[in-house]
């Protein structure tokens, strides 16, 4: 039986970042930048007011000091300058100009008086407090100078990076795209959710659940759904998906006679291994690389809970690596258990739980939803209630109430 870490290393070795593509910046969020974005212009491109107020020469009001000493100065207002104004203006000595936030500063003005330090006059303004040169002014190039790197290659583009790309005038950027993931299922008992199951039939849960898990991980997902196990049709379907995707997942292909025939067909397309991994649920699983491009292909159990756990432990990290994430694994914290947990000897347990935090101490607490003595590990309803996976080492069979365990965060709900 192979350890979880050994299998994860085999999977990680197959990670390949997709060839960079140029996309609109609105579509780049969450992707890894594949170029050094060098700015060509300063930002801001002109001296501008940082707040609403009056543009002045600081020397004309400095006599008041930068504190409220009770004195006043009165200046004529030459006019109003709005944000976006394109006509140059010039301030004369002992004049002021009303300015909006973002408005270009008039020539000779070197500071902005906040409105609260004035009487707000239209034609003439009384000044109750002075300002120093440069106060409340954004100078040309304060944010970025020509030649500066706005976004570096290898950076994961977030909201700030999108904003910076827009600010430097870039409408498109080179990125590593989301890996394309194909999800399909095999099983004579399966029917799509649009149909009513007959005797012995069940809904296809896996293709929907695993497709959603793939999107959550950051992949571009193609949910193929239920596929035929006829050898010729199966080969055509899988070969087609391997040729147009970077990762392929097939659920229901590791147990029973139907799964055996599936593996026989897949062996014709490349290397495929089905083995036991020292984990539960989902110990029996398959992994290989098929087609001319050696595309990673996963064979997952038919049970939806087992399939989702294997996806979380094996497939999700590969997607994250393909996206360029430096840390592909979920965040892990230590939490104190609120109930006993049982696990399978010799296998790492990935058991559902609800993670919470003590408001007084800040300590993490976890309530097991699966893994209690005598409980089933295959209830999909409890997985839907979980916000974490409790990770139990292979050498631990029983965890008592109050003991500390490792807990991996799942996607946030709500």
């Amino acid at each position: 039986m192979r350890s979880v870490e050994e299998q994860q290393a085999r999977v990680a070795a197959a990670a390949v970042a997709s060839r960079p593509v140029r996309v609109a910046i609105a579509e780049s969020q969450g992707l890894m930048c594949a170029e050094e974005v060098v700015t060509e212009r300063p930002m801001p491109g002109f001296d501008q007011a940082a707040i609403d107020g009056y543009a002045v020469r600081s020397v004309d009001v400095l006599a008041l000091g930068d504190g409220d000493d009770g004195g006043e100065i009165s200046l004529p207002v030459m006019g109003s300058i709005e944000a976006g104004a394109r006509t140059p203006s010039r301030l004369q000595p002992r004049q002021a100009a009303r300015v909006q936030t973002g408005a270009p500063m008039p020539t000779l003005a070197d500071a902005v008086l906040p409105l609260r330090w004035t009487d707000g006059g239209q034609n003439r303004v009384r000044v109750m407090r002075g300002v120093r040169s440069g106060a409340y002014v954004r100078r040309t190039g304060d944010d970025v100078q020509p030649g500066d790197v706005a976004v570096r290659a290898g950076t994961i583009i977030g909201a700030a990076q999108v904003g910076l790309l827009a600010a430097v005038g870039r409408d498109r950027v080179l990125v590593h795209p989301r890996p394309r993931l194909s999800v399909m299922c095999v099983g004579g008992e399966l029917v799509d959710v649009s149909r009513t199951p007959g005797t012995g039939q069940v809904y296809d849960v896996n293709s929907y659940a695993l497709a959603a898990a793939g999107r959550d991980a950051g992949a571009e997902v193609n949910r193929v759904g239920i596929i035929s196990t006829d050898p010729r049709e199966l080969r055509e379907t899988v070969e087609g998906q391997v040729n147009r995707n970077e990762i392929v997942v097939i659920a229901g292909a590791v147990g029973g006679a139907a799964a055996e025939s599936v593996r026989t067909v897949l062996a014709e397309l490349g290397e495929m291994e089905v083995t036991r991994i020292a984990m539960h649920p989902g110990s029996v699983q398959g992994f290989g690389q098929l087609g001319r491009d050696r595309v990673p292909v996963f064979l997952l159990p038919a049970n939806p809970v087992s399939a989702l756990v294997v996806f979380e432990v094996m497939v999700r990290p590969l997607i994250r690596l393909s996206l360029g994430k430096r840390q592909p694994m979920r965040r892990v914290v230590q939490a104190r258990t609120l109930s006993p947990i049982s696990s399978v000897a010799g296998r790492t347990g990935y058991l559902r739980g609800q993670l919470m935090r003590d408001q007084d101490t800040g300590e993490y607490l976890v309530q097991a939803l699966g893994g209690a003595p005598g409980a089933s590990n295959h209830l999909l309803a409890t997985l839907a209630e979980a916000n974490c996976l409790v990770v139990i080492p292979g050498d631990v069979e029983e965890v008592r109430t109050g003991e500390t365990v490792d807990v991996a965060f799942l996607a946030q709900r709500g």
Side-chain angles (χ1 to χ4, degrees):
M1 189 177 295
R2 186 176 298 148
S3 72
V4 171
E5 293 74 19
E6 288 173 334
Q7 185 72 353
Q8 287 176 327
R10 285 172 176 254
V11 170
V16 177
S18 303
R19 181 176 299 175
V21 296
R22 197 166 296 278
V23 301
I25 61 172
E27 301 171 1
S28 67
Q29 188 171 0
L31 302 178
M32 185 171 70
C33 186
E35 64 171 320
E36 299 278 297
V37 179
V38 179
T39 59
E40 299 177 356
R41 303 180 183 85
M43 187 180 75
F46 53 89
D47 291 353
Q48 61 181 234
I51 59 171
D52 289 357
Y54 294 88
V56 297
R57 298 192 321 154
S58 60
V59 67
D60 292 336
V61 297
L62 201 56
L64 293 175
D66 55 7
D68 188 359
D69 58 8
E72 288 185 4
I73 290 176
S74 178
L75 299 174
V77 179
M78 59 163 283
S80 180
I81 306 174
E82 298 180 350
R86 302 179 65 180
T87 303
S89 56
R90 182 182 178 87
L91 199 68
Q92 298 299 322
R94 298 191 61 78
Q95 281 186 339
R98 186 74 177 257
V99 290
Q100 293 181 353
T101 302
M105 293 288 288
T107 304
L108 295 187
D110 65 342
V112 175
L113 278 166
L115 287 174
R116 66 182 181 277
W117 294 351
T118 73
D119 67 348
Q122 298 295 318
N123 298 317
R124 197 167 189 88
V125 60
R126 290 205 310 273
V127 182
M128 281 78 83
R129 181 172 175 177
V131 288
R132 297 185 181 277
S133 179
Y136 304 107
V137 176
R138 294 182 64 209
R139 296 292 189 188
T140 302
D142 269 356
D143 286 346
V144 175
Q145 293 285 349
D148 286 351
V149 177
V151 181
R152 296 192 177 278
T155 301
I156 302 301
I157 298 176
Q161 287 73 28
V162 171
L164 190 53
L165 288 167
V168 300
R170 290 291 294 270
D171 63 340
R172 302 182 72 80
V173 63
L174 196 67
V175 297
H176 293 289
R178 302 183 191 280
R180 292 167 298 183
L181 169 70
S182 177
V183 177
M184 60 194 91
C185 299
V186 295
E189 77 283 10
L190 300 177
V191 295
D192 192 73
V193 294
S194 61
R195 296 174 53 193
T196 301
T199 302
Q201 293 183 315
V202 296
Y203 285 124
D204 165 25
V205 173
N206 279 326
S207 73
Y208 288 95
L210 296 173
R215 294 187 193 98
D216 176 73
E220 178 183 323
V221 179
N222 173 33
R223 189 191 69 83
V224 179
I226 306 166
I227 61 174
S228 170
T229 54
D230 174 79
R232 183 181 60 81
E233 293 183 25
L234 176 65
R235 176 173 177 137
E236 288 180 357
T237 301
V238 174
E239 195 167 19
Q241 295 304 315
V242 164
N243 288 338
R244 65 175 66 101
N245 293 279
E246 281 79 43
I247 304 171
V248 173
V249 169
I250 307 174
V254 292
E260 188 67 37
S261 64
V262 170
R263 296 199 296 272
T264 300
V265 172
L266 297 184
E268 300 172 4
L269 301 175
E271 301 173 3
M272 176 57 66
E273 177 192 52
V274 175
T275 188
R276 284 191 175 274
I277 308 301
M279 63 178 284
H280 78 96
S283 64
V284 181
Q285 53 188 269
F287 176 71
Q289 293 177 271
L290 306 183
R292 61 179 181 275
D293 294 327
R294 294 178 55 78
V295 172
V297 177
F298 294 85
L299 304 183
L300 273 53
N303 177 272
V305 169
S306 299
L308 280 168
V309 169
V310 174
F311 189 99
E312 175 69 29
V313 177
M314 299 296 173
V315 186
R316 189 178 194 277
L318 180 63
I319 294 172
R320 306 298 284 174
L321 286 171
S322 298
L323 281 167
K325 304 291 185 181
R326 295 181 179 86
Q327 177 49 266
M329 310 305 291
R330 298 277 195 182
R331 180 188 172 200
V332 174
V333 299
Q334 289 196 318
R336 184 162 53 84
T337 58
L338 296 178
S339 60
I341 302 173
S342 64
S343 189
V344 178
R347 301 183 190 177
T348 303
Y350 294 91
L351 309 175
R352 304 169 299 288
Q354 286 185 333
L355 186 66
M356 57 203 84
R357 204 162 193 177
D358 189 299
Q359 292 185 347
D360 296 326
T361 66
E363 179 186 22
Y364 283 111
L365 307 171
V366 65
Q367 173 65 56
L369 299 176
S376 171
N377 287 326
H378 300 288
L379 299 178
L380 189 60
T382 57
L383 187 63
E385 291 298 317
N387 65 0
C388 68
L389 287 178
V390 184
V391 184
I392 308 298
D395 58 354
V396 175
E397 293 186 58
E398 298 289 339
V399 178
R400 292 175 294 184
T401 300
E403 292 187 341
T404 299
V405 293
D406 285 341
V407 174
F409 282 104
L410 297 178
Q412 295 297 316
R413 300 173 60 201

